[in-house]
Amino acid sequence: MAKKTNLEIVDQLVAETDYDRYIIQLSKKHERAIETKDLTVTYDGLKYAMNPATIAFEKNKITSLIGGSGSGKSTFLRSLNRMNDDVATVGGQILYQGVDLNAPEIDVFEVRKRIGMVFQRPNPFAKSIYDNITFALTQRGKYSRVELDEIVETSLKNAALWDQVKDSLDKSALQLSGGQQQRLVIARALALKPDILLLDEPASALDPKSTMQIEETLVNLKNNYSIIIVTHNMQQAARISDYTAFFNMGKLIEYDLTRKIFTRPKVKLTDDYVSGNFG
Amino acid sequence: MINSKITNKVAISFIRILAGIVVLILAFLVGYILIKGLPYVSWHFLTSPSKSVSAGGGISGQLFNSIYLLVLSLLISLPIALGAAIYLNEYAPKNKFVSTLRNSIEVLSSLPSVVVGLFGFMFFVLKFGFGFSILSGAIALTFFNLPILTSSIENSLAAVPNLQREAGVALGISKWETIIHVIIPAALPSIVTGIVLASGRILGEAAALIFTAGQSSPVLNWTNLNPFSSTSPLNPMRPAETLAVHIWKINSEATIPDAVQISAASSAVLLILVFVFNLIARRLGNVIFKKMTAGGK
Amino acid sequence: MNDELYQQLTKKSISTKKDNFGKRLSLFALILIGLVVFAILFFVVSRGLSTFTLDQINPFNFVFGTQWNPGKTDEAGNQLVGALPMIVGSFAVTFLSALVATPFAIGTALFVTEVSPKWGNKIMQPVIELLVGIPSVVYGFIGLAVVVPAVRNATGGTGFGIFSGVVVLFVMILPTITSMTIDALRNVPGHMRESAYAIGATPWQTIYKVVLRAAIPGILTAIVFGLARAFGEALAVQMVVGNSPVMPDGLFSPAATLTSVLTQGIGNTTDGSLANDVLWSLAMILLLMSLLFNTIIRRIANRRALK
């Protein structure tokens, strides 16, 4: 018999009646940060870039989304704060404290204030470090200089950047190193006091040392924030996350505690991926 | 083999000759203007009014008119071009309506200037009763400015990396706020370069102005800054011959004896202005870029 | 459901309001430009057509008539509004000047990009780009001061005429065509040249068989741009062409173009008269030609995009 392709394996898997057993369900005592119900994404209106995905993320935990290129993990992540609105059609529900964020009447800008996002490539504005952090705030409302100073300091401290830049807040953010820029971007997102932080491969463009610093930062942040992070790096997922969700070919395959995913996954495909047999 | 080598030699030599001739022609062109014109350019020439029948006139009024018209037409066209460029680059969906508008901008940029002059004459000078005036001229120039500025600003905006847009949007800031506070500042150096380059081109426009801004320059009282007074240089309703129109007029009418010298000198001044604008355009972009990224508060 | 949160999330945020405002404002600016263009097109065409509708001039007589003296009639009572002399004049100066300019422009562009890039990049290209910005009246003035007297001495005529117009336009569009051709040649990917050299082609064979062929659409666009600029140019031509609206009987006798007649006529006619209407008809021809050039350029660009 010919060896089955990944696609065939995935299709078969999803067709199984007890598919749900590969997706861990959060019990009542686990508080939920955000959950999706049958979330789908299509780019052309025909084919699913993301097949119906139902998944709940626990509050104040780090969840890793892993999978190869084109697995849909980034597409899924970007849908959570409606960053895909302009380019794709997103179906299903995104429940946040009981409200469906995917409903048409929801104001996307309000959503994004509560759900921050950090991208793969650091993207500070061509402004000073200080202005980078205060810009979004001052667009929204009135803050005194003292308040702004305080927010800048706490955000930068939370992102573990304060000590390095406290004397040069007026300097251009573009003069910082890549790792510093990425932490500035995290600080910028934190300044808005979001509930949830989405990160799309935040360390993949950085050197190992900066990567470690970002990881430390994230682990410290989870006391106050719920974090969902897309990563290519298996070790990273294993090191920092509490839960891991595995995507393949636009489908959510398996979701469980990180240690289970990495030690005894239920699906062979997951096992192959985390042990580096494909991807 | 030998044939192809000979052919090669002949052909390459031919290219060198063609290029050499072009260099000679263009060098002659610039050289003629500067050699004939520069000796005549003096402080007196730049600051005294022109004469209509006798020799020894200057170009003060024309110089001022050219700059004033340029500034006024930029004031009108810049906001419109900026808006249009923002829509085209940041908001425009891909549909028939947008592509029709995009094409119409291209059409505007290729309209012969004399046709724009005719249109301006019929409408602004006659129908709206603006007469031969700076206002009519500025509007006619605006028709030239709009397509040039719109496409250069659109290109400047398009050159700003998408990362910056995503950054704004992910912070829950609207597209518009991101455009105003992030994208435009980032594109500013190249936008300014585009404006200065466009200004250089507008400065030389004459055909559209002959019958809109007119061919006469009334006696101006430089101390009169009341824009409603007819002798004030700032009055937008007075006729205003520009430097380019002046060159055309003294050559066509030939009523002054030193028409050749004045034309050459005026051409030299125009040429230098255009060159200076180009130089400024190249430098200014860099300077602004450095200033902008170097510091906030 | 969390009602308080729902209220917060569905209330239109300041950002949404600002965004809608910005979108409308910028669209308004774009539409304004569109309206200006359509206004110009509409008025030029409708006024241009009134020669044939209101004034009952036979379009055939207009386009092919050779007598131009608006307001006057011949013995049979026909209006003397034959535009053929100007149409011929315009086409003659435009195409002749482009015909002369093209080989020089291509040669210079090849020199800059292929033969001597060092010299070309640093000095020639920036200078040529600067020269694109020389005001056209300056070309007209040089034509009047240098070309016309020289032609007069050589031929014994007035010196004004199509030939002088061609010389002036040739110099005027030379920088335009050259600098656009340089861009077109630059866009030919370097690996195409390398692979030609790798199989032993001489520089000329590489230029002729590879570079020029690949750059044809870009070069054509450059030429059409030059044509459009020459066809629409008014003052530089008007200053040297002689402004005599008769059928040109050679390159050295005074002639006229559409633009030169317009330049002279605009201020001298009254609105609504036949003399004014025929000017609009001339403007309409200019407009239609510029639309045609525009379409050609877009066709070339589209075809390139498809490839």
Side-chain angles (χ1 to χ4, degrees):
Chain A
M1 203 177 80
K3 197 169 177 282
K4 279 182 178 168
T5 64
N6 270 343
L7 189 61
E8 286 165 332
I9 297 172
V10 172
D11 281 341
Q12 193 185 1
L13 200 71
V14 177
E16 284 178 25
T17 45
D18 54 352
Y19 165 63
D20 281 354
R21 70 191 174 92
Y22 305 130
I23 311 295
I24 191 177
Q25 307 293 317
L26 297 183
S27 69
K28 281 264 157 60
K29 65 175 185 183
H30 298 291
E31 212 182 327
R32 288 160 190 228
I34 191 167
E35 61 187 302
T36 67
K37 290 215 165 116
D38 292 326
L39 182 88
T40 58
V41 182
T42 68
Y43 285 107
D44 50 9
L46 298 169
K47 226 176 109 255
Y48 282 139
M50 187 70 229
N51 286 270
T54 301
I55 179 170
F57 297 96
E58 191 179 346
K59 201 171 175 181
N60 293 353
K61 297 284 186 224
I62 299 180
T63 305
S64 292
L65 310 184
I66 61 170
S69 308
S71 60
K73 57 192 191 307
S74 285
T75 300
F76 178 84
L77 186 81
R78 292 169 64 93
S79 299
L80 292 180
N81 71 341
R82 299 195 42 183
M83 288 291 284
N84 277 340
D85 273 17
D86 286 343
V87 292
T89 317
V90 180
Q93 287 184 312
I94 302 167
L95 295 173
Y96 168 74
Q97 297 179 21
V99 177
D100 178 13
L101 299 184
N102 201 29
E105 70 269 21
I106 296 289
D107 190 294
V108 291
F109 303 112
E110 287 297 318
V111 170
R112 291 174 192 149
K113 261 162 65 176
R114 291 170 167 80
I115 307 178
M117 186 154 200
V118 171
F119 299 88
Q120 181 173 4
R121 299 251 314 274
N123 58 356
F125 300 126
K127 297 174 182 292
S128 70
I129 295 171
Y130 190 94
D131 288 353
N132 255 281
I133 293 175
T134 58
F135 172 58
L137 291 168
T138 50
Q139 287 304 307
R140 292 272 170 50
K142 290 247 179 290
Y143 292 84
S144 72
R145 179 77 196 199
V146 182
E147 286 171 310
L148 287 178
D149 285 347
E150 201 186 303
I151 294 173
V152 169
E153 184 172 342
T154 21
S155 315
L156 284 171
K157 274 183 177 159
N158 282 336
L161 190 61
W162 174 251
D163 289 334
Q164 295 160 52
V165 300
K166 64 180 176 210
D167 298 320
S168 52
L169 294 175
D170 291 347
K171 266 188 22 193
S172 165
L174 300 180
Q175 289 168 4
L176 298 173
S177 73
Q180 288 175 323
Q181 285 188 5
Q182 196 63 307
R183 271 177 286 148
L184 174 64
V185 170
I186 293 175
R188 186 174 70 184
L190 296 180
L192 296 174
K193 303 200 166 51
D195 272 352
I196 303 170
L197 204 53
L198 309 176
L199 302 103
D200 193 353
E201 301 187 37
S204 69
L206 304 179
D207 61 86
K209 188 164 166 262
S210 307
T211 303
M212 293 303 292
Q213 285 170 332
I214 297 273
E215 287 181 11
E216 267 173 45
T217 310
L218 293 180
V219 172
N220 289 332
L221 285 176
K222 79 172 179 183
N223 296 325
N224 300 311
Y225 303 91
S226 311
I227 295 172
I228 305 173
I229 174 173
V230 162
T231 179
H232 264 307
N233 182 332
M234 289 308 109
Q235 285 80 26
Q236 186 172 66
R239 274 195 300 265
I240 63 172
S241 60
D242 304 286
Y243 293 90
T244 296
F246 172 59
F247 290 77
N248 194 11
M249 306 211 149
K251 295 184 177 84
L252 171 62
I253 304 294
E254 186 168 1
Y255 174 45
D256 211 327
L257 293 167
T258 297
R259 63 184 151 78
K260 286 199 179 161
I261 291 278
F262 280 91
T263 52
R264 328 168 235 116
K266 295 186 181 115
V267 183
K268 173 138 191 316
L269 209 57
T270 315
D271 196 16
D272 285 349
Y273 183 75
V274 296
S275 52
N277 286 347
F278 80 91
Chain B
M1 256 334 257
I2 294 168
N3 258 342
S4 70
K5 271 191 182 153
I6 294 174
T7 319
N8 181 52
K9 265 213 161 145
V10 171
I12 299 291
S13 313
F14 188 59
I15 289 176
R16 285 179 192 277
I17 292 170
L18 284 177
I21 296 174
V22 169
V23 169
L24 283 181
I25 293 174
L26 298 180
F28 171 80
L29 181 75
V30 177
Y32 182 87
I33 298 165
L34 295 182
I35 291 168
K36 282 265 171 178
L38 278 185
Y40 206 77
V41 177
S42 63
W43 187 244
H44 173 79
F45 178 71
L46 294 176
T47 56
S48 52
S50 58
K51 295 182 175 165
S52 48
V53 285
S54 58
I59 53 166
S60 62
Q62 286 76 11
L63 210 50
F64 175 81
N65 291 342
S66 295
I67 306 284
Y68 191 38
L69 262 173
L70 175 67
V71 172
L72 271 189
S73 84
L74 280 181
L75 281 181
I76 304 173
S77 51
L78 203 52
I80 303 174
L82 189 63
I86 288 175
Y87 190 82
L88 285 175
N89 195 59
E90 309 289 336
Y91 290 111
K94 276 192 179 138
N95 60 28
K96 256 253 131 75
F97 178 64
V98 172
S99 71
T100 308
L101 284 171
R102 204 182 269 282
N103 287 341
S104 74
I105 292 178
E106 267 172 44
V107 167
L108 188 56
S109 75
S110 64
L111 277 187
S113 51
V114 65
V115 173
V116 173
L118 177 65
F119 181 80
F121 175 67
M122 286 322 279
F123 259 76
F124 303 112
V125 177
L126 298 182
K127 281 238 164 74
F128 293 171
F130 296 166
F132 289 127
S133 64
I134 289 183
L135 184 61
S136 304
I139 298 174
L141 284 186
T142 296
F143 293 165
F144 289 99
N145 268 337
L146 284 175
I148 305 176
L149 286 178
T150 305
S151 75
S152 96
I153 296 175
E154 194 191 345
N155 289 338
S156 308
L157 294 177
V160 177
N162 257 327
L163 287 172
Q164 295 277 311
R165 292 182 183 84
E166 277 191 329
V169 171
L171 286 172
I173 308 166
S174 66
K175 244 180 175 175
W176 179 248
E177 292 161 291
T178 311
I179 293 165
I180 298 297
H181 298 284
V182 179
I183 306 299
I184 290 185
L188 198 61
S190 110
I191 291 177
V192 170
T193 303
I195 294 173
V196 179
L197 282 177
S199 305
R201 287 180 66 197
I202 296 304
L203 215 51
E205 177 53 42
L209 291 177
I210 293 176
F211 297 105
T212 51
Q215 307 165 35
S216 60
S217 194
V219 179
L220 298 176
N221 174 4
W222 295 102
T223 54
N224 184 349
L225 297 181
N226 172 9
F228 299 104
S229 158
S230 64
T231 60
S232 167
L234 297 181
N235 183 351
M237 301 315 286
R238 68 176 173 87
E241 183 193 44
T242 65
L243 200 50
V245 172
H246 189 57
I247 296 175
W248 174 78
K249 195 185 163 211
I250 55 180
N251 277 295
S252 308
E253 303 193 335
T255 53
I256 47 173
D258 54 351
V260 173
Q261 286 90 332
I262 291 188
S263 308
S266 304
S267 298
V269 171
L270 256 187
L271 208 61
I272 290 169
L273 276 178
V274 170
F275 288 177
V276 168
F277 271 66
N278 274 274
L279 285 183
I280 293 177
R282 276 157 216 253
R283 289 283 155 81
L284 205 59
N286 287 336
V287 174
I288 295 177
F289 181 75
K290 277 192 192 132
K291 271 215 171 140
M292 294 230 342
T293 50
K297 302 271 150 179
Chain C
M1 192 154 108
N2 184 334
D3 283 333
E4 193 189 337
L5 178 70
Y6 183 80
Q7 293 297 332
Q8 285 175 13
L9 286 177
T10 50
K11 208 182 106 203
K12 263 199 181 170
S13 67
I14 305 171
S15 296
T16 304
K17 285 178 192 153
K18 283 187 186 167
D19 209 31
N20 289 339
F21 165 78
K23 201 170 176 176
R24 286 196 197 116
L25 188 71
S26 60
L27 178 61
F28 173 75
L30 181 64
I31 289 178
L32 194 64
I33 300 182
L35 285 180
V36 166
V37 178
F38 284 105
I40 296 178
L41 295 189
F42 176 78
F43 280 101
V44 172
V45 171
S46 68
R47 291 297 306 269
L49 288 176
S50 65
T51 304
F52 313 118
T53 53
L54 280 177
D55 304 317
Q56 314 256 316
I57 302 290
N58 183 341
F60 185 85
N61 291 345
F62 176 75
V63 176
F64 294 104
T66 56
Q67 304 279 323
W68 178 262
N69 199 351
K72 301 266 160 51
T73 53
D74 62 9
E75 297 89 34
N78 294 318
Q79 295 283 350
L80 294 176
V81 288
L84 193 62
M86 287 84 81
I87 296 174
V88 170
S90 276
F91 276 90
V93 291
T94 302
F95 282 92
L96 286 177
S97 61
L99 198 66
V100 185
T102 300
F104 283 102
I106 293 177
T108 309
L110 284 174
F111 181 81
V112 169
T113 60
E114 315 293 321
V115 177
S116 182
K118 232 180 171 181
W119 228 79
N121 288 345
K122 273 211 178 126
I123 302 174
M124 285 181 66
Q125 196 190 0
V127 170
I128 289 170
E129 275 173 11
L130 271 182
L131 293 179
V132 174
I134 296 186
S136 59
V137 280
V138 172
Y139 288 101
F141 158 64
I142 303 257
L144 204 57
V146 180
V147 180
V148 171
V151 174
R152 188 184 301 142
N153 287 338
T155 64
T158 59
F160 294 98
I162 289 182
F163 182 81
S164 300
V166 169
V167 174
V168 167
L169 286 182
F170 154 68
V171 181
M172 190 182 98
I173 62 177
L174 191 56
T176 309
I177 303 184
T178 309
S179 86
M180 288 182 72
T181 305
I182 290 176
D183 291 340
L185 295 176
R186 287 260 160 80
N187 281 338
V188 177
H191 66 82
M192 291 180 76
R193 295 183 182 89
E194 279 152 26
S195 38
Y197 283 124
I199 57 167
T202 63
W204 171 245
Q205 285 169 330
T206 309
I207 290 171
Y208 185 68
K209 300 229 162 104
V210 179
V211 179
L212 278 182
R213 263 171 222 196
I216 280 178
I219 297 174
L220 279 180
T221 307
I223 296 171
V224 180
F225 256 99
L227 284 173
R229 193 166 171 208
F231 200 84
E233 176 52 42
L235 302 187
V237 180
Q238 184 262 343
M239 288 162 88
V240 299
V241 82
N243 303 311
S244 164
V246 294
M247 278 308 280
D249 61 346
L251 293 179
F252 300 102
S253 63
T257 64
L258 296 165
T259 52
S260 75
V261 170
L262 266 181
T263 308
Q264 296 204 300
I266 293 175
N268 299 330
T269 61
T270 43
D271 197 7
S273 67
L274 172 68
N276 186 266
D277 288 346
V278 287
L279 285 185
W280 284 94
S281 305
L282 298 185
M284 185 175 73
I285 299 179
L286 277 173
L287 182 87
L288 295 179
M289 281 306 291
S290 80
L291 289 181
L292 178 69
F293 288 131
N294 206 288
T295 314
I296 296 175
I297 290 168
R298 197 164 335 127
R299 279 276 163 81
I300 299 173
N302 284 348
R303 208 183 271 177
R304 206 168 0 168
L306 282 179
K307 267 185 191 167

